[in-house]
């Protein structure tokens, strides 16, 4: 596990494209162009530099197979500056060997070092594997947005999890 840098651009583009092809339970459903991915990565690295975000990627045999981050959810609002939003994904053939757990635990430590006090995340209500992981590392379910997701002609509830750190 390590922090991302700009050399990861093509690996991150391949990574998100593979998740989109899989139709993983993430909100992104279209592949970004290389320019869009470069713009996103540039913004993320700038936020890390400013102390508004932390991120970890994971590699197996030199291949980037996981990406995760915690970003201050509203850095412009001082009264919410202690709240972070977490995102995580592991490629299919690297799942179930503990990478997700290790990344979540490390991100929580890094979020503490950012002086965050609360970390939140939103997830499809159908993503029970992810829910198990979140609960295992201490998150609790705190809310539900009924029909928060519309996919393939059906509505899916969106669940919010949170942890105090
Ligand atoms: C959710 C996700 C990050 C988990 O990553 P991971 O590296 O597989 O996580 P781990 O290996 O640490 O843990 C997976 C857990 O799920 C459990 N699990 C796996 N398949 C399962 C199944 N079919 N039913 C129940 N539990 C299952 C494993 O047993 C393991 O639990 P344990 O540690 O208690 O044994 C990964 O599945 C993923 O990226 N999915 C696609 C993207 C996504 O859903 N991201 C989250 C969006 S909110």
């Amino acid at each position: 596990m390590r922090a991302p840098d700009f050399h990861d651009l093509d690996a991150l583009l391949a990574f998100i494209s593979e998740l989109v092809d899989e139709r993983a339970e993430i909100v992104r459903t279209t592949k970004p162009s290389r320019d869009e991915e470069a713009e996103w990565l540039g913004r993320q690295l700038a936020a890390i530099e400013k102390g508004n975000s932390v991120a970890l990627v994971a590699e197996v045999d030199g291949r980037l197979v996981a990406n995760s981050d915690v970003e201050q959810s509203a850095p412009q609002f001082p009264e919410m500056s202690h709240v972070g939003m977490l995102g995580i994904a592991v490629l299919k053939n690297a799942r179930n060997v503990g990478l997700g757990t290790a990344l979540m635990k490390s991100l929580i430590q890094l979020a503490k070092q950012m002086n965050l006090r609360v970390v939140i995340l939103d997830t499809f209500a159908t993503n029970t594997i992810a829910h198990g992981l979140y609960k295992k590392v201490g998150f609790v379910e705190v809310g539900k947005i009924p029909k928060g997701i519309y996919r393939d002609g059906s509505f899916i509830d969106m669940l919010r999890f949170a942890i105090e750190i």
Side-chain angles (χ1 to χ4, degrees), residues 2 4 8-24 26 28 30-33 37 40-41 44 55-60 62-69 87-95 99-100 103:
R2 61 170 176 79
D8 293 317
L9 173 60
D10 288 311
L12 284 166
L13 184 59
F15 171 83
I16 189 66
S17 301
E18 193 169 324
L19 288 170
V20 167
D21 280 339
E22 182 198 341
R23 306 229 61 215
I26 55 172
R28 174 146 213 139
T30 55
K31 295 179 191 180
S33 67
E37 187 70 2
W40 168 80
L41 182 57
Q44 191 189 48
L56 285 173
V57 295
E59 285 179 332
V60 173
R63 180 165 181 249
L64 193 153
V65 296
N67 191 19
S68 60
D69 69 342
I88 183 168
V90 178
L91 290 185
K92 195 167 188 173
N93 58 7
R95 290 179 196 151
L99 275 179
L103 287 165

Side-chain angles (χ1 to χ4, degrees), residues 28-89:
R28 174 146 213 139
T29 52
T30 55
K31 295 179 191 180
S33 67
R34 192 169 189 274
D35 282 352
E36 286 167 340
E37 187 70 2
E39 205 180 306
W40 168 80
L41 182 57
R43 273 200 310 274
Q44 191 189 48
L45 295 177
I48 293 170
E49 187 81 21
K50 280 171 71 179
N52 294 335
S53 185
V54 287
L56 285 173
V57 295
E59 285 179 332
V60 173
D61 297 332
R63 180 165 181 249
L64 193 153
V65 296
N67 191 19
S68 60
D69 69 342
V70 177
E71 188 172 14
Q72 258 183 319
S73 47
Q76 70 275 34
F77 299 129
E79 293 177 346
M80 288 178 70
S81 62
H82 61 292
V83 180
M85 175 69 108
L86 186 145
I88 183 168

Side-chain angles (χ1 to χ4, degrees), residues 88-90 95-101 122 127 129 133-134 136:
I88 183 168
V90 178
R95 290 179 196 151
N96 297 324
V97 293
L99 275 179
T101 305
D122 291 333
N127 198 350
I129 294 176
L133 169 62
Y134 302 149
K136 187 172 79 170

